[in-house]
Amino acid sequence: MYNLTLNSSQVCDTSASYCKPGVLLPVWNPQEDVFIGDTIARACVYVLGLAYMFLGVSIIADRFMAAIEVITSQEREIKVTDSEGNKQTVMVRYWNETVSNLTLMALGSSAPEILLSIIEIFGNKFEAGDLGPNTIVGSAAFNLFVIIGYCISVVPNGEIRRIKHLRVFFVTATWSIFAYIWLYIIIAVISPNYVDVWEATLTFLFFPITVLTAYIVDKKIFIGSFLQRRIKSTKVVRDEEAQNAEPLKAVENMEAIDAANPEIKNFEEHRKEYINILKEMRQKHPDIGVDELQKLAEVEILKRGPKSRAYYRIQATRKLIGGTSNVRKKLEVKDRLANSKSKSNLESLIDNEANTVTSVFFEPAHYTCFESVGSIELYVTRQGGDLNNTILVDYKTENGSAEANSDYEYTEGTLIFYPNETRKHFVVKIIDDDVYEEDEHFYVRLSNARYQQNELVDTDTLLVTNPDLATVMILDDDHGGVFMFTEAKMEIIENVGVLRVKVIRTSGARGKVKVPYKTIDGSAAGGRDFEKKNDVLTFYNNEVEKYIEIDIVDDEDYQKNENFFIRLSDPIPEMEEASHNEAGRPRLGDQNKIEIQIKESKVIKGIVDKLLTKSNAAVLVGTSSWREQFIEAFQVNADDDDDDDDNDDANGNEEDNDGEKSDENQADKEESEPKRPSLSDYLIHFVSLFWKVLFAFVPPTEIWGGWACFVVSIIIIGILTAVIGDLASHFGCTVGLKDSVTAISFVALGTSLPDTFASKVAAIQDRYADSSVGNVTGSNAVNVFLGIGLAWMCASIYHYFNGTRFVVIPGSLAFSVTMFCSFAFIAISIMMFRRSKFIGGELGGPASWRYFSSFVFICLWLAYVILSSLDSYCVFDFFKF
């Protein structure tokens, strides 16, 4: 059935092949009798072309990763029940973090390598090539050895980074090594020189199996109870997440929460962190308002919060090409766009009306005085409209419990507001007597607002508005007073600091009176939730109100509902008149006990709830319109290290007070004086301007939830990758390099450089090593199973239906895979050794160990490249079949 004849003699060829037409680019003829100068010129053109194409791929990968970040950041509301039976609504992502890292994130970071392998198969008419598979293996070596080695040394001095999700790392590391062992087995052991349909299909199926096993380990499905028993018996901490987890107050058993309701655990951890950030911002900026506090907290949360691999990749690319990576600037742009859409037509009508209508009203509308005061002034305000007009408004008194000419003098008249006058007053006389009586009140009403000219009344432009009725309370000062609280129940927030409860003195204010009071425990306990007190309030002659002050303890309870009470005791007079006049003695009123309800801070709670829904890093990398994309494309931004500068705070580094003040002043100075682009910023901008403008046509990430941007971006990446493959192949044949050598060196280096910068940013900014190290192993496994597996599956199926077999000569690929697997064992062993207490973490640590480890990793990569290249030129005979 099959044609089993191989066209090659299976003898190692030391020479490079002639240049062949590529998928998109033709051959640069002539190829024979070319002068050395022409060869050098062609090589330079190919190198510059490769560099420019790598730049283009990096920029479109920025859009691609932004789409992935938006897609994987989509959230939904779920109802969960905590250990106390309380139902909560929490926001959770549709995408599991591990699944997104091994699927879309891995595809985003490795798209050029994966697409290069697939395009090469189709471009070679379903025949195997050296460029695609060797690029994948070379990229894996660069990722594991160079990127990790570099990240070990860039961590700030005195700091370490540990892998948080260690279980997932072990799974992906195992799969990454197995992937290359399996690659060697199918090309050199099971069916040498051939790859059958079942082998290629199984290779591709290992991709979803890898994702599934990592998800099972991450969610502790099936094995959770077994691991828990093993850990308890051996007293070994599973991973950094379990080691650093803080117990929730509502539940004593943290493992029970983690296993039963991880959503509550993550939600509560984020909420507590946000509350702490709000308190920190309030301490740094005690005088700012709530809105500004929320903005500062949002910026700080986005800086400190966990970031995805996509976020760091985008930040690295934007810094490289002069794009903005400043969190505050991005949020300001988002706020401006949101505010420009928020003002409705109704608000515009209200604003217009406020500018055309003049309103006249009392301000204030409530007045209190003693009957011995003599007279009281009442104030009227004019607001809005044309202030150049002279207007008139009438006023007159009306009886309440106080009667005219007995308790006050009846008063009526007209106020005149001359041009540009906005506030006037008039006087009402109060009548004093020596007869004790209850507190009384009367009213004053405004009416008949009109223009002075012709006494014109125009209700369209001049109105008496609420409050048009003022209330005047007359306090009798012939009695010692009745003491009481103003209300029976009072709600406060736990972060109020000092509680002030008003005690009022009515029906008189004569003499000095002491009023004992004490606190009474309820569900809140004195000394624990509030300051326990048993004290006395002293009212002096004519004093009508005093405040009881009690310190409230803020224990950061997000959903607090506790209470206590304050009770007044019989007042003690210190006046001679009281002893002679029993009717005038001070006494308690009916409201002599008040309940204090301690609640969580509604303002802070509201801010925290908003931050829980808004603190999504997708807002920093996504775009909302083509207009925004074109503006960003033409803007030249300085290399702003705003995020890096604030990283020390995020990692908990503490400095002395002088240092903090200096840093804050410096930060304020930088904020007020934005950093200007340098010459290099302008140069990089103009070099990349073509790509920036071209890719601004890609759909914004807000369209279809990011999927439109995802599809268009991956098509563009595929086209650019095809050009890169052709340029790399033509460069190799021009200078005499084999495709396998070009792949593991130049192409692997070019496709992996953006990941290098992304890992560097992640190693510096993130508190854990997962984003900089953990994703390397996952990407390496996905590259083989998806990049090689899918390409070879299509090719083997094609050959199967054409009665042939898919030929893959092991040659240099088998040797390259063997070297990589051997060195990978060494690298992972070094990482596990570094995790021990001797060093403390996979990244960073003591300077000597840090640089020694980096040196070893770089040497492993150099050894891999040199040995694989020598094998391609037949120096070794291990894998020549």
Side-chain angles (χ1 to χ4, degrees), residues 361-368 376-381 423-426 444 446 466-472:
F361 51 88
F362 279 111
E363 187 181 17
H366 297 275
Y367 300 85
T368 303
I376 184 170
E377 294 180 345
L378 284 77
Y379 290 85
V380 181
T381 296
R423 191 168 176 85
K424 302 285 283 187
H425 74 275
F426 59 91
V444 184
L446 296 177
N466 188 50
D468 59 341
L469 186 70
T471 303
V472 181

Side-chain angles (χ1 to χ4, degrees), residues 843-871:
L843 306 181
S848 57
W849 282 104
R850 177 196 314 215
Y851 295 119
F852 175 74
S853 301
S854 298
F855 175 76
V856 171
F857 273 78
I858 298 300
C859 287
L860 289 176
W861 179 71
L862 291 175
Y864 161 78
V865 172
I866 293 172
L867 293 175
S868 298
S869 299
L870 292 175
D871 178 75

Side-chain angles (χ1 to χ4, degrees), residues 345-479:
N345 292 331
L346 178 60
E347 289 175 322
S348 300
L349 290 174
I350 293 174
D351 291 342
N352 292 333
E353 182 179 350
N355 292 328
T356 58
V357 177
T358 299
S359 300
V360 182
F361 51 88
F362 279 111
E363 187 181 17
H366 297 275
Y367 300 85
T368 303
C369 65
F370 291 109
E371 67 175 1
S372 61
V373 72
S375 63
I376 184 170
E377 294 180 345
L378 284 77
Y379 290 85
V380 181
T381 296
R382 171 169 73 164
Q383 180 175 295
D386 187 0
L387 297 180
N388 293 318
N389 294 320
T390 299
I391 65 171
L392 310 177
V393 62
D394 297 336
Y395 63 89
K396 69 175 180 178
T397 58
E398 297 178 0
N399 287 343
S401 58
E403 295 183 0
N405 300 323
S406 174
D407 299 302
Y408 68 94
E409 288 187 4
Y410 174 79
T411 305
E412 66 176 333
T414 301
L415 285 176
I416 303 176
F417 285 87
Y418 292 103
N420 297 318
E421 281 189 335
T422 58
R423 191 168 176 85
K424 302 285 283 187
H425 74 275
F426 59 91
V427 176
V428 177
K429 290 185 177 181
I430 307 299
I431 299 174
D432 189 14
D433 58 41
D434 294 329
V435 180
Y436 165 70
E437 52 191 347
E438 296 291 337
D439 296 340
E440 298 172 321
H441 67 276
F442 67 94
Y443 306 104
V444 184
R445 187 180 299 275
L446 296 177
S447 63
N448 194 26
R450 59 199 182 278
Y451 292 104
Q452 185 183 42
Q453 185 178 7
N454 300 325
E455 295 285 323
L456 175 65
V457 176
D458 185 357
T459 57
D460 291 333
T461 59
L462 178 59
L463 294 172
V464 175
T465 58
N466 188 50
D468 59 341
L469 186 70
T471 303
V472 181
M473 179 70 68
I474 304 174
L475 303 180
D476 190 288
D477 53 4
D478 299 319
H479 188 276

Side-chain angles (χ1 to χ4, degrees), residues 321-351:
I321 64 174
T324 178
S325 60
N326 187 297
V327 175
R328 186 177 289 105
K329 290 179 182 177
K330 291 291 291 183
L331 288 180
E332 287 175 354
V333 171
K334 298 291 181 182
D335 288 342
R336 283 198 299 270
L337 291 173
N339 292 335
S340 65
K341 300 177 182 178
S342 63
K343 192 163 185 177
S344 63
N345 292 331
L346 178 60
E347 289 175 322
S348 300
L349 290 174
I350 293 174
D351 291 342

Side-chain angles (χ1 to χ4, degrees), residues 64 162 235 244 281 377 547 664 672 682 714 722 857 876:
F64 187 50
R162 293 169 62 89
K235 297 183 179 179
N244 292 335
M281 292 296 101
E377 294 180 345
Y547 287 90
E664 289 176 11
S672 60
Y682 280 104
I714 200 170
F857 273 78
F876 306 116

Side-chain angles (χ1 to χ4, degrees), residues 348-630:
S348 300
L349 290 174
I350 293 174
D351 291 342
N352 292 333
E353 182 179 350
N355 292 328
T356 58
V357 177
T358 299
S359 300
V360 182
F361 51 88
F362 279 111
E363 187 181 17
H366 297 275
Y367 300 85
T368 303
C369 65
F370 291 109
E371 67 175 1
S372 61
V373 72
S375 63
I376 184 170
E377 294 180 345
L378 284 77
Y379 290 85
V380 181
T381 296
R382 171 169 73 164
Q383 180 175 295
D386 187 0
L387 297 180
N388 293 318
N389 294 320
T390 299
I391 65 171
L392 310 177
V393 62
D394 297 336
Y395 63 89
K396 69 175 180 178
T397 58
E398 297 178 0
N399 287 343
S401 58
E403 295 183 0
N405 300 323
S406 174
D407 299 302
Y408 68 94
E409 288 187 4
Y410 174 79
T411 305
E412 66 176 333
T414 301
L415 285 176
I416 303 176
F417 285 87
Y418 292 103
N420 297 318
E421 281 189 335
T422 58
R423 191 168 176 85
K424 302 285 283 187
H425 74 275
F426 59 91
V427 176
V428 177
K429 290 185 177 181
I430 307 299
I431 299 174
D432 189 14
D433 58 41
D434 294 329
V435 180
Y436 165 70
E437 52 191 347
E438 296 291 337
D439 296 340
E440 298 172 321
H441 67 276
F442 67 94
Y443 306 104
V444 184
R445 187 180 299 275
L446 296 177
S447 63
N448 194 26
R450 59 199 182 278
Y451 292 104
Q452 185 183 42
Q453 185 178 7
N454 300 325
E455 295 285 323
L456 175 65
V457 176
D458 185 357
T459 57
D460 291 333
T461 59
L462 178 59
L463 294 172
V464 175
T465 58
N466 188 50
D468 59 341
L469 186 70
T471 303
V472 181
M473 179 70 68
I474 304 174
L475 303 180
D476 190 288
D477 53 4
D478 299 319
H479 188 276
V482 177
F483 298 86
M484 67 181 75
F485 294 110
T486 56
E487 52 192 338
K489 186 175 182 180
M490 182 178 181
E491 282 192 1
I492 62 169
I493 57 177
E494 64 170 345
N495 66 345
V496 69
V498 178
L499 165 67
R500 302 180 80 238
V501 182
K502 182 189 286 188
V503 179
I504 61 173
R505 183 184 195 179
T506 64
S507 302
R510 176 170 295 179
K512 180 180 178 182
V513 180
K514 292 184 177 180
V515 182
Y517 68 91
K518 67 176 179 178
T519 58
I520 302 173
D521 289 355
S523 56
R528 184 193 68 187
D529 300 300
F530 62 92
E531 178 188 9
K532 196 166 187 176
K533 274 197 170 184
N534 189 349
D535 206 345
V536 173
L537 276 180
T538 301
F539 286 79
Y540 293 93
N541 188 45
N542 287 336
E543 274 193 323
V544 295
E545 64 181 38
K546 281 281 192 177
Y547 287 90
I548 298 173
E549 294 187 350
I550 298 175
D551 292 333
I552 303 299
V553 178
D554 184 6
D555 54 10
E556 303 175 13
D557 195 345
Y558 179 77
Q559 291 182 323
K560 189 162 190 170
N561 188 7
E562 297 176 336
N563 70 332
F564 69 97
F565 304 89
I566 305 175
R567 183 189 293 278
L568 299 178
S569 299
D570 292 332
I572 305 170
E574 292 188 6
M575 60 181 179
E576 296 179 0
E577 295 86 350
S579 62
H580 299 292
N581 184 6
E582 193 65 28
R585 289 183 64 84
R587 59 183 174 84
L588 288 180
D590 294 334
Q591 196 60 58
N592 54 53
K593 182 179 180 181
I594 185 171
E595 178 186 359
I596 307 298
Q597 194 84 23
I598 305 177
K599 295 277 192 177
E600 75 278 356
S601 170
K602 292 184 179 180
V603 174
I604 300 300
K605 182 178 184 295
I607 295 177
V608 172
D609 289 341
K610 288 180 183 178
L611 293 175
L612 285 167
T613 59
K614 293 177 65 177
S615 59
N616 193 323
V619 303
L620 302 180
V621 299
T623 52
S624 58
S625 65
W626 273 286
R627 176 175 176 270
E628 180 185 349
Q629 293 183 169
F630 277 101

Side-chain angles (χ1 to χ4, degrees), residues 94-100 102 168 171-172 208-221 223 263:
Y94 286 99
W95 284 78
N96 173 266
E97 182 182 359
T98 298
V99 173
S100 64
L102 291 176
V168 176
V171 171
T172 56
I209 294 174
T210 302
V211 177
L212 179 62
T213 52
Y215 176 77
I216 289 173
V217 171
D218 180 45
K219 303 296 287 186
K220 305 172 190 175
I221 302 175
I223 60 175
E263 290 88 358

Side-chain angles (χ1 to χ4, degrees), residues 775-787:
N775 288 317
V776 168
T777 54
S779 297
N780 287 351
V782 170
N783 288 354
V784 173
F785 297 145
L786 189 58

